[in-house]
Amino acid sequence: MTLLKHMPISKLHRNCRAIHIGQRLSQSGVTSFGFKEVPEEEKTRMVGDVFKSVASKYDLMNDIMSGGLHRLWKDRLVSKLRPFPGMQHLDVAGGTGDVAFRIVDAIYTREQRSFRGMLANTEAKDETRVYVCDINPAMLEVGQKRALDRGLAECPALVWMQGDAEALSFEDGSVDGYTIAFGIRNVTHIEKALKEAHRVLKRGGRFLCLELSHVQFPIFKDMYDLYSFSVIPSIGELVAGDRHSYQYLVESIRRFPSQEKFAKMIADAGFVDVEYENFVGGVVAIHSGFKY
Amino acid sequence: MASSSSSSSCRVLASQAFRQSRLHFYYFSSVAGFTATSFRPRFLLASSLFSESFRCRHGVSSVSSDPGPLPFPGTYYSKPSAVHEKAGVYARPIASGFGKYSRRGISTEVRPDEGASSGESASSEGTPYDGSTSHDAQGAEQPSQENSKSAEGPYEEKLDEKKQVLRAALAHVPKLGWTEAAMLAGARDTGLSPSIVGAFPRKEAELVEYFMDDSMEKLTEEAENHKEELSNMILTARIAWLVRSRLQMQIPYISKWAQALSIQFSAVRMVAELSLRNLLQANPLNLPTTLKQRALLMDEIWHAAGDRSSDMDWITKRAILGGVYTATELYMLTDYSPEYQETWSFLDRRIKDAIDCRKTAQEASHLAVAIGAGLGNTINSFLRRQSPSGI
């Protein structure tokens, strides 16, 4: 493990050895934390520490790192979801409320357009619930503060709750939509989280996952690697005062399964009609699946 | 291995190209039919179409008094009565001159028994339609294996669920129109989460397409059920019966059918209006599917009517029927007569026009043969006179 830690990162993530080792170790109760191998029970705490330390600067950092593009990606995620009045939606790892606010906005503006009277019945609107679930109370606090700023603090549709993506406190078949934006990477057992998503969704419900993914194009890939391993940790140090958290961020992106592999994992969890859409050549991908 | 795969892909490409070229012809004829009937009356036919629909609106039903047929779009533009008279003039001498070419009635043109017997032989070899679909299936399989981004999953199940939603949504169409709202309501009815509407990327267009596909299946069934009856009819009656039973399936949705057409032909509308706003809106392009479906529908009708031709006629027949069908479909939108009597008489007149036109063309070709024969004789005798030795 110390060997992995001291190897030059650029070499390490290319030769994939770390990934093989990681897979072997994960059977013995060890999982990856960036390029490091840590005991499974440790990862949750360590990820928690990361987000606790960056929560206050999280949005600013997102804007700087993605050049503001993360807003467009989230817009796209919500437009793919096509929220409707009366929807029961669960947004996991959405502590800052970015996705939840967009969904609520989409439902309310659509409500105003009124759908020729059919969905204008107010009870459907009152039934709308967007559950924002995050394992980290610090992130939820940020989200609630932002809801206050947006005038959504009293909004009955927004429900803030702390919860683990691997063990949701929802009943089987209780939500219409499930989104997880930039979150599944930090979950210790991705398969477990996917199973859980499948469990809580209604038949016909949709699973959408927005996640930083893998770039395929050769030259762009090199540029992207240079940017993520040299520039992002420095920005993290400058802006958020935390280099290690952002080092973890870029490393965890490299450890995350490729688009195809992740799509396979989603299908294995029981979803059908699984597809994905790449953005900026694969820097980000939206995976989609349905439960029937 | 590589060469075999490349040759097979070449074959698939070629078959697709072949199919495409035929479909393009349909596309053209179908679009021509649509644009001609929807836009031409304002410029060229101010009298006929408008006067007819106007009359119907006021309920003065006059099925028997035919005000002269509407020029059938895509075939000819001159005044039809003049063409008819000319046809009659040409027809008589030919008919008298060539006994075997006597003016055959429409009824005997394709005899039912003849169609049936040739149909049996054709079906064993594979009609052009069957052939193209099997090629299509091959072509569709190969690329999907290569560049499909979807992960594996139980696809049959998925199709059923989606179809259920669409079927349930159709019940809401008369009230809500061809909208996403109807699809949401349909999903609620089937007990599925309305989120499933997200599985239809082209939204309400897929609802219209489902209806078109479903109706075509029903038409095929109906034609199968009424096989006996159909075989006793003459060709024109068979065609009219089939078109009519297909259009009758649209009656429940007639108040919203204009909307369905606008969804289907959104590209035509965009071009026609040349509106920048429409072009900029991310309107999905529904036209290719629409035209393909219509082409297949025309093929189905001819097939059910017992047509087994595979020559040039194959294309013209379907093109002409496409025009007749589209014109009648549009006429139906503004027909307020009881039981749509006006529409059915309009349909009968259109088919009569088409057959008349076809006969005119045939007779013209017979005339050409006659003239050719006459010329040949003259030249022959001239040559014989030049060389008395008889070489």
Side-chain angles (χ1 to χ4, degrees):
Chain A
M1 267 182 272
T2 46
L3 177 80
L4 290 174
K5 204 170 169 186
H6 294 295
M7 263 176 87
I9 283 155
S10 54
K11 261 188 194 168
L12 204 148
H13 76 257
R14 268 182 211 150
N15 64 19
C16 299
R17 267 184 61 203
I19 292 166
H20 291 306
I21 292 167
Q23 277 171 351
R24 222 181 303 144
L25 291 178
S26 70
Q27 289 160 3
S28 56
V30 179
T31 186
S32 68
F33 178 78
F35 289 156
K36 283 182 275 187
E37 304 300 334
V38 296
E40 281 185 347
E41 55 270 24
E42 280 285 289
K43 176 167 176 169
T44 317
R45 187 186 56 77
M46 290 169 90
V47 171
D49 288 347
V50 164
F51 282 94
K52 209 181 284 169
S53 91
V54 301
S56 55
K57 301 275 185 192
Y58 185 75
D59 283 319
L60 180 65
M61 275 303 291
N62 279 349
D63 274 335
I64 295 174
M65 287 189 299
S66 70
L69 282 175
H70 76 103
R71 292 161 191 273
L72 299 183
W73 297 330
K74 284 167 183 163
D75 282 345
R76 178 73 187 138
L77 178 76
V78 174
S79 77
K80 263 186 114 108
L81 180 69
R82 286 203 240 165
F84 55 92
M87 186 177 196
Q88 306 289 307
H89 184 79
L90 172 60
D91 181 34
V92 178
T96 54
D98 264 345
V99 175
F101 297 148
R102 281 177 171 81
I103 293 170
V104 170
D105 284 349
I107 291 175
Y108 278 57
T109 50
R110 187 175 223 180
E111 191 69 23
Q112 277 159 14
R113 276 187 270 137
S114 104
F115 259 97
R116 291 183 192 84
M118 179 257 167
L119 291 167
N121 50 353
T122 45
E123 52 194 272
K125 186 171 139 191
D126 292 342
E127 280 168 18
T128 307
R129 287 285 176 281
V130 179
Y131 299 96
V132 186
C133 175
D134 203 307
I135 198 165
N136 198 318
M139 297 291 274
L140 280 170
E141 263 169 46
V142 175
Q144 276 161 322
K145 218 193 293 173
R146 289 180 59 202
L148 204 65
D149 294 342
R150 283 176 160 244
L152 288 170
E154 299 297 311
C155 178
L158 275 175
V159 182
W160 304 86
M161 56 197 295
Q162 197 189 342
D164 186 355
E166 291 175 27
L168 294 165
S169 58
F170 285 82
E171 283 178 20
D172 297 7
S174 55
V175 294
D176 293 304
Y178 178 107
T179 50
I180 181 162
F182 305 122
I184 202 148
R185 201 181 60 238
N186 301 315
V187 173
T188 311
H189 304 103
I190 295 173
E191 292 88 354
K192 235 189 217 175
L194 291 173
K195 280 254 152 57
E196 197 66 357
H198 190 262
R199 181 182 70 80
V200 299
L201 276 170
K202 289 179 191 170
R203 277 177 70 242
R206 189 167 203 188
F207 167 85
L208 279 170
C209 170
L210 175 65
E211 192 49 88
L212 291 153
S213 205
H214 294 266
V215 177
Q216 316 288 348
F217 306 112
I219 295 167
F220 183 59
K221 184 174 164 31
D222 293 332
M223 285 162 63
Y224 176 58
D225 283 344
L226 186 73
Y227 174 73
S228 35
F229 285 103
S230 314
V231 182
I232 286 180
S234 310
I235 298 176
E237 195 170 7
L238 279 173
V239 179
D242 186 349
R243 188 184 181 92
H244 292 294
S245 292
Y246 285 93
Q247 186 71 39
Y248 159 73
L249 173 84
V250 291
E251 287 177 8
S252 67
I253 295 168
R254 297 312 188 280
R255 296 302 302 268
F256 190 67
S258 69
Q259 282 94 325
E260 291 288 346
K261 210 174 152 202
F262 186 49
K264 186 79 178 32
M265 285 166 79
I266 294 170
D268 287 346
F271 290 100
V272 291
D273 219 354
V274 178
E275 56 178 30
Y276 65 86
E277 186 181 0
N278 279 340
F279 298 94
V280 203
V283 171
V284 160
I286 293 180
H287 282 76
S288 154
F290 289 88
K291 176 188 177 178
Y292 292 134
Chain B
M1 184 65 205
S3 67
S4 74
S5 72
S6 72
S7 74
S8 72
S9 67
C10 276
R11 220 179 324 124
V12 169
L13 276 177
S15 70
Q16 276 180 341
F18 174 63
R19 192 171 59 86
Q20 284 298 319
S21 66
R22 274 209 316 224
L23 285 177
H24 280 312
F25 196 86
Y26 281 148
Y27 292 179
F28 172 74
S29 63
S30 193
V31 173
F34 180 80
T35 46
T37 42
S38 57
F39 300 117
R40 231 180 60 226
R42 289 170 210 180
F43 314 113
L44 297 172
L45 299 169
S47 58
S48 44
L49 186 68
F50 273 137
S51 64
E52 285 200 334
S53 58
F54 186 77
R55 201 158 30 80
C56 304
R57 220 174 270 224
H58 289 265
V60 187
S61 175
S62 59
V63 183
S64 55
S65 73
D66 197 333
L70 173 81
F72 167 57
T75 51
Y76 53 85
Y77 289 86
S78 61
K79 213 166 167 260
S81 55
V83 175
H84 288 178
E85 277 160 26
K86 269 187 193 166
V89 170
Y90 286 140
R92 242 157 264 133
I94 296 166
S96 60
F98 295 84
K100 58 178 180 173
Y101 289 130
S102 63
R103 263 191 104 183
R104 287 192 292 185
I106 306 151
S107 54
T108 55
E109 207 165 2
V110 178
R111 283 183 294 273
D113 55 341
E114 187 185 289
S117 64
S118 65
E120 276 163 21
S121 63
S123 61
S124 61
E125 295 158 16
T127 58
Y129 169 55
D130 292 336
S132 71
T133 46
S134 67
H135 283 305
D136 183 29
Q138 274 179 15
E141 267 168 31
Q142 290 200 341
S144 71
Q145 278 169 4
E146 283 160 20
N147 52 12
S148 127
K149 281 188 173 181
S150 313
E152 318 242 322
Y155 283 103
E156 295 79 15
E157 214 176 302
K158 173 196 80 186
L159 282 175
D160 277 351
E161 306 276 354
K162 277 175 149 181
K163 275 192 177 168
Q164 271 177 25
V165 171
L166 291 174
R167 195 169 300 151
L170 281 181
H172 295 272
V173 165
K175 202 173 157 199
L176 298 167
W178 303 88
T179 56
E180 230 181 305
M183 292 166 84
L184 290 176
R188 285 208 180 94
D189 287 355
T190 47
L192 289 165
S193 162
S195 282
I196 200 173
V197 175
F200 304 104
R202 284 185 304 121
K203 302 179 184 180
E204 58 272 2
E206 299 198 28
L207 184 58
V208 181
E209 280 159 19
Y210 170 76
F211 172 73
M212 293 290 287
D213 282 341
D214 192 49
S215 307
M216 195 164 101
E217 271 173 36
K218 274 191 203 155
L219 182 70
T220 316
E221 255 173 54
E222 213 162 306
E224 197 64 35
N225 294 342
H226 294 76
K227 219 173 184 176
E228 200 87 327
E229 261 176 73
L230 276 172
S231 62
N232 292 331
M233 292 180 190
I234 59 167
L235 180 71
T236 42
R238 257 179 287 160
I239 295 281
W241 188 89
L242 287 162
V243 172
R244 184 177 163 163
S245 37
R246 173 62 187 78
L247 286 174
Q248 271 171 341
M249 292 173 197
Q250 278 164 212
I251 289 178
Y253 312 101
I254 196 73
S255 62
K256 305 286 181 199
W257 192 248
Q259 190 193 3
L261 284 172
S262 89
I263 292 167
Q264 288 183 311
F265 288 91
S266 62
V268 172
R269 197 183 53 186
M270 276 195 289
V271 174
E273 290 177 1
L274 276 181
S275 149
L276 193 62
R277 193 173 57 84
N278 274 351
L279 286 170
L280 287 178
Q281 271 174 359
N283 261 338
L285 201 60
N286 306 324
L287 193 64
T289 330
T290 303
L291 295 176
K292 190 175 175 186
Q293 281 181 328
R294 277 162 188 264
L296 291 176
L297 176 63
M298 296 315 126
D299 199 63
E300 189 57 47
I301 293 176
W302 272 111
H303 200 78
D307 176 61
R308 297 290 186 276
S309 61
S310 57
D311 51 352
M312 189 60 196
D313 254 14
W314 192 91
I315 291 172
T316 38
K317 273 177 185 168
R318 278 148 186 82
I320 287 170
L321 182 61
V324 170
Y325 181 87
T326 317
T328 316
E329 185 179 16
L330 290 168
Y331 185 92
M332 201 176 168
L333 292 178
T334 50
D335 182 3
Y336 300 99
S337 61
E339 308 259 298
Y340 297 89
Q341 287 161 3
E342 292 282 346
T343 304
W344 312 135
S345 65
F346 177 88
L347 172 64
D348 288 342
R349 291 199 299 276
R350 294 295 74 74
I351 291 176
K352 194 167 149 273
D353 287 350
I355 298 290
D356 282 350
C357 173
R358 183 187 156 84
K359 249 190 314 194
T360 311
Q362 270 181 349
E363 279 154 6
S365 76
H366 295 158
L367 179 73
V369 169
I371 292 172
L375 266 180
N377 283 338
T378 318
I379 293 169
N380 208 2
S381 61
F382 178 73
L383 285 174
R384 213 173 281 159
R385 210 166 22 175
Q386 286 300 89
S387 54
S389 56
I391 300 164

